[in-house]
Amino acid sequence: MKLYCTLVSEMYKYSYGNYNPWEVPFKERESMKLTCARNDSAAAQLLLYSEEEMMVTVDKAPALYETYPVKTVRVKTSFEGLTGHEVTMNLVGLVRDDDGNYKSEVILREQRRFNEKLRVQPVWIEVKTSEETQPGEYTGKVKVYYSDLFGDEVLHKEISIQLEVMPAVLKPLHEGDFYLDLWQHHTSIARTYEVALWSKEHFRLLEEHLKVLKELGQKAITVIVSEAPWSGQWSSYYRTNASDYFEYNMVSIKRTLDGEWQYDFTTMNRYINLCLSYGINKEIEIFGLLGIWTMADAGYGKVIEDSEDAIRVRYLDEATGTYRYIRHKADLEEYIRAIDQNIADNGWQNLAKIVCDEPGDINLFKNTLGALSKLTSHMKFKVTICSLQVVLEDFEGIDDYVINLPLILSEEERIKEMRKHNDSTMSYYVAIDPKTPNTFLSCHLAESRVLPWLSYYMNMDGFLRWAIWLWPNDPFNYESYHYQKFRAGGTHFVYPGKNGKPLYSLRYKNLKKGIRDYMIFKAYVEKTGDKEAVYEAIKGIMKVDHLEQMKGAYRRENHEVLSLNYWDYEERVNHFLKAL
């Protein structure tokens, strides 16, 4: 059997499709070195390629192809003398990108997979250490076997992994202070798994997904208190693949026979408490009261004519047994006061923030902000901004700014000055822009890892992305959504697993690695006081003289902006890790 295999870094992304010559797409190597601390992890990818079809399997799993006989390739990994550790091996699935090519992306749980000839099958190999793991150097063996149907296995190749475990013990990410804010889209989970919204089964699924957020060190809780605050992310303007991206109210509202309003906050409070139980406890973000996205021509405009904003609040009218929408400003104001009181009753007034996502009409934003300020006394305000005008206005009452990366790059000095006078949290985000660095399927995986590095370099508290699990209708087969305005992968870091447990992406894993790096930077500075050394290390992986060159007229390809070499990152982080 003509079988080729090699180890590559966790940053490697395989592309298959439009142009794949009849040649082995990699050079084989005999060994690889990885480094980690205790209570840490290190990962690599094994690439398998053959001129024949094959079944690929990991660990002890058998594998026969259901249609006709093909050879089986089995992968096994072990580390001699290493204690207090766990080794996992996962097949990596390919997902179709906007350009029609298939990119390695999803870390699968299935243990066997058919692989067509002349296509690479990546295998994710990860070793996790614990506090009990003894520091030192260990040798791991990745063994690749093959067999022909019921024939005996033959050892095809053995590749060595040299693992250095350093003495430092790292904290779990959820105990760190990197301010990660990945917005949660609850309806997407119910819709994808086809369960009733806010049902017992829905909450079981939500809990499974919150586990992956805790693993990253998520700090903020997403709460929706009106209907479709983003108006479906412009889906009404698309005639192909118009995926359902609507979000719905977590508060159940009823108007009784005697005309009284009743507000049931059970679902909202249950979700908040569930998040708190997983250590997601720094912030409750309230969406749906400020900066509602509108598309009046498609029907997504105002419901309450005398309201400043296009807030849509659905309720059950007990008199008629029908669902209706609040039509009067006074009724909306009563609802907002009830939300504010519910926050106070639960003791969440130091956590709750009403969020506005990228206000477009500054005058409308100013008026709505002023009106809400008079109705609420237990919630603060937060805004994501991509407009310099919002910065210049310096609106009173805003406690938290999250600034689009291109705006920071073009207005670096203004943002620095703004940062000096802001005692609250200030983070940054990427969305449909910039082209690089970003977290699209088309992006190099180094871009996911470098985002927390940039947060440190720009003196930001953390990083925000507008979705962790907002899936298009068929995320495994056709991930493209609103191309070219949106790009594939921009709406999620995990995939819907068959058993309700989300599947990690390679982008998730590399973002997680970048957050871990950030925590190492912080620990190093706390120990030595040498912040300049960290700045120099980060500047060392950048290929621009100053940050402004990353945007606008200076926009470049990713390899012109930052290093795509995995070892450049490892060398710098390991230098600080050794000092710990």
Side-chain angles (χ1 to χ4, degrees):
M1 181 181 189
K2 291 186 177 180
L3 175 64
Y4 306 88
C5 46
T6 195
L7 286 174
V8 294
S9 81
E10 59 195 307
M11 281 186 184
Y12 177 84
K13 182 180 289 188
Y14 173 60
S15 179
Y16 174 80
N18 291 337
Y19 181 72
N20 291 84
W22 285 58
E23 59 186 34
V24 182
F26 52 76
K27 293 181 180 179
E28 293 188 285
R29 64 195 305 169
E30 301 302 320
S31 65
M32 187 176 188
K33 181 170 183 180
L34 300 175
T35 304
C36 67
R38 292 188 288 169
N39 199 34
D40 193 12
S41 66
Q45 296 182 69
L46 174 71
L47 305 184
L48 300 168
Y49 176 88
S50 177
E51 295 176 2
E52 303 177 45
E53 296 169 324
M54 58 182 173
M55 286 293 293
V56 179
T57 180
V58 295
D59 202 16
K60 301 175 183 179
L64 296 174
Y65 186 44
E66 61 267 27
T67 306
Y68 48 82
V70 296
K71 289 183 173 63
T72 298
V73 174
R74 185 172 71 90
V75 180
K76 182 174 178 58
T77 303
S78 61
F79 283 85
E80 184 178 343
L82 184 63
T83 59
H85 77 289
E86 177 188 7
V87 176
T88 56
M89 292 178 293
N90 298 82
L91 300 169
V92 176
L94 309 185
V95 175
R96 186 184 179 193
D97 202 350
D98 298 311
D99 61 5
N101 287 316
Y102 290 81
K103 311 288 176 61
S104 55
E105 164 74 343
V106 192
I107 299 176
L108 303 168
R109 288 197 187 90
E110 59 192 79
Q111 290 193 302
R112 59 187 67 82
R113 197 162 227 231
F114 174 78
N115 193 73
E116 62 188 81
K117 63 182 180 181
L118 305 177
R119 189 182 77 180
V120 169
Q121 174 59 61
V123 180
W124 179 265
I125 300 173
E126 185 171 359
V127 55
K128 299 177 182 178
T129 60
S130 66
E131 291 186 30
E132 289 71 38
T133 303
Q134 291 300 308
E137 296 197 6
Y138 301 88
T139 298
K141 298 292 184 183
V142 179
K143 296 182 178 182
V144 180
Y145 301 89
Y146 75 87
S147 59
D148 192 352
L149 199 56
F150 301 113
D152 295 338
E153 276 189 338
V154 175
L155 177 60
H156 172 73
K157 189 162 186 172
E158 183 176 281
I159 306 175
S160 174
I161 297 181
Q162 301 301 319
L163 175 67
E164 181 181 3
V165 180
M166 294 190 183
V169 178
L170 300 187
K171 295 189 297 186
L173 299 192
H174 67 268
E175 294 182 10
D177 60 358
F178 183 78
Y179 210 93
L180 181 67
D181 184 2
L182 302 180
W183 292 350
Q184 304 112 60
H185 289 72
H186 322 96
T187 307
S188 181
I189 291 177
R191 181 170 57 240
T192 301
Y193 285 97
E194 297 180 342
V195 300
L197 191 63
W198 316 127
S199 63
K200 180 179 179 181
E201 183 61 14
H202 186 199
F203 267 92
R204 183 191 73 81
L205 294 168
L206 285 168
E207 185 166 5
E208 290 294 342
H209 287 71
L210 288 177
K211 292 174 184 177
V212 304
L213 277 179
K214 177 181 178 179
E215 200 176 314
L216 282 177
Q218 171 76 7
K219 297 295 187 281
I221 302 168
T222 299
V223 169
I224 313 291
V225 295
S226 68
E227 310 297 337
W230 292 279
S231 294
Q233 298 288 347
W234 316 111
S235 62
S236 296
Y237 290 157
Y238 291 83
R239 299 296 172 262
T240 58
N241 194 34
S243 294
D244 182 352
Y245 275 4
F246 290 105
E247 282 296 317
Y248 299 106
N249 198 346
M250 301 176 81
V251 182
S252 179
I253 306 169
K254 181 170 68 174
R255 193 163 199 179
T256 64
L257 291 173
D258 57 6
E260 295 296 317
W261 291 101
Q262 291 183 356
Y263 311 105
D264 185 351
F265 294 100
T266 301
T267 294
M268 170 179 158
N269 294 349
R270 181 181 177 185
Y271 183 72
I272 292 172
N273 282 311
L274 183 61
C275 290
L276 293 173
S277 73
Y278 277 92
I280 304 170
N281 56 14
K282 297 300 182 185
E283 183 178 9
I284 300 169
E285 295 176 312
I286 310 292
F287 291 90
L289 298 179
L290 184 61
I292 307 301
W293 291 15
T294 59
M295 298 176 291
D297 56 343
Y300 296 94
K302 280 188 177 184
V303 174
I304 304 171
E305 289 301 324
D306 58 344
S307 173
E308 288 80 6
D309 217 331
I311 302 169
R312 306 137 189 163
V313 181
R314 181 174 178 256
Y315 69 94
L316 177 64
D317 181 43
E318 201 172 54
T320 63
T322 60
Y323 279 99
R324 299 184 174 189
Y325 283 83
I326 288 177
R327 303 288 177 183
H328 302 290
K329 185 176 179 180
D331 294 332
L332 173 65
E333 290 176 346
E334 183 178 331
Y335 171 53
I336 294 171
R337 291 191 190 97
I339 296 172
D340 189 61
Q341 188 60 49
N342 177 70
I343 293 295
D345 291 344
N346 285 278
W348 296 329
Q349 55 266 36
N350 293 326
L351 300 178
K353 296 177 184 177
I354 297 172
V355 183
C356 182
D357 185 14
E358 294 187 341
D361 186 328
I362 300 302
N363 289 328
L364 173 63
F365 174 63
K366 186 175 183 178
N367 292 338
T368 309
L369 184 65
L372 281 171
S373 297
K374 296 175 183 177
L375 296 171
T376 59
S377 57
H378 303 106
M379 295 185 285
K380 301 175 184 177
F381 293 91
K382 177 175 182 175
V383 60
T384 66
I385 55 176
C386 57
S387 165
L388 178 61
Q389 190 174 354
V390 178
V391 176
L392 296 176
E393 286 279 353
D394 190 23
F395 292 102
E396 185 177 350
I398 297 178
D399 180 70
D400 193 339
Y401 288 93
V402 188
I403 307 172
N404 185 243
L405 180 57
L407 181 58
I408 295 177
L409 299 178
S410 61
E411 300 293 336
E412 191 175 354
E413 293 307 316
R414 287 183 190 271
I415 303 301
K416 282 181 179 178
E417 190 63 26
M418 182 179 172
R419 184 74 168 114
K420 289 179 183 177
H421 303 289
N422 182 52
D423 295 330
S424 187
T425 303
M426 184 179 287
S427 300
Y428 84 101
Y429 72 101
V430 295
I432 61 175
D433 204 32
K435 178 181 178 182
T436 185
N438 215 309
T439 63
F440 304 116
L441 184 56
S442 58
C443 294
H444 194 283
L445 289 170
E447 299 178 51
S448 293
R449 184 171 182 177
V450 83
L451 291 170
W453 291 44
L454 288 178
S455 183
Y456 191 95
Y457 186 77
M458 297 185 299
N459 194 30
M460 293 285 158
D461 295 299
F463 170 74
L464 179 150
R465 195 73 169 85
W466 65 284
I468 171 71
W469 53 60
L470 180 57
W471 299 303
N473 291 345
D474 190 5
F476 290 100
N477 298 310
Y478 192 65
E479 193 173 292
S480 184
Y481 177 71
H482 293 192
Y483 184 69
Q484 297 175 345
K485 185 176 180 64
F486 294 81
R487 286 190 281 163
T491 62
H492 54 279
F493 286 99
V494 295
Y495 287 77
K498 291 180 181 178
N499 57 1
K501 296 181 179 180
L503 299 170
Y504 301 115
S505 69
L506 296 181
R507 294 174 294 115
Y508 173 101
K509 288 289 188 178
N510 279 274
L511 176 63
K512 181 180 179 182
K513 193 65 173 283
I515 297 171
R516 168 259 198 188
D517 298 339
Y518 177 98
M519 290 176 61
I520 291 172
F521 297 156
K522 294 276 286 190
Y524 173 81
V525 173
E526 287 171 7
K527 181 176 181 179
T528 67
D530 190 3
K531 200 168 187 176
E532 192 59 35
V534 176
Y535 286 145
E536 288 302 315
I538 297 173
K539 285 166 63 177
I541 57 96
M542 306 302 295
K543 293 190 175 181
V544 292
D545 296 325
H546 48 89
L547 290 178
E548 188 178 1
Q549 291 179 341
M550 292 168 62
K551 77 166 291 282
Y554 300 102
R555 186 188 298 280
R556 305 176 184 183
E557 297 299 319
N558 55 13
H559 66 274
E560 298 175 306
V561 171
L562 70 154
S563 171
L564 306 182
N565 185 335
Y566 171 76
W567 306 109
D568 285 346
Y569 293 81
E570 288 296 287
E571 178 184 353
R572 286 162 173 79
V573 175
N574 291 342
H575 169 76
F576 300 120
L577 196 53
K578 287 178 182 177
L580 299 180

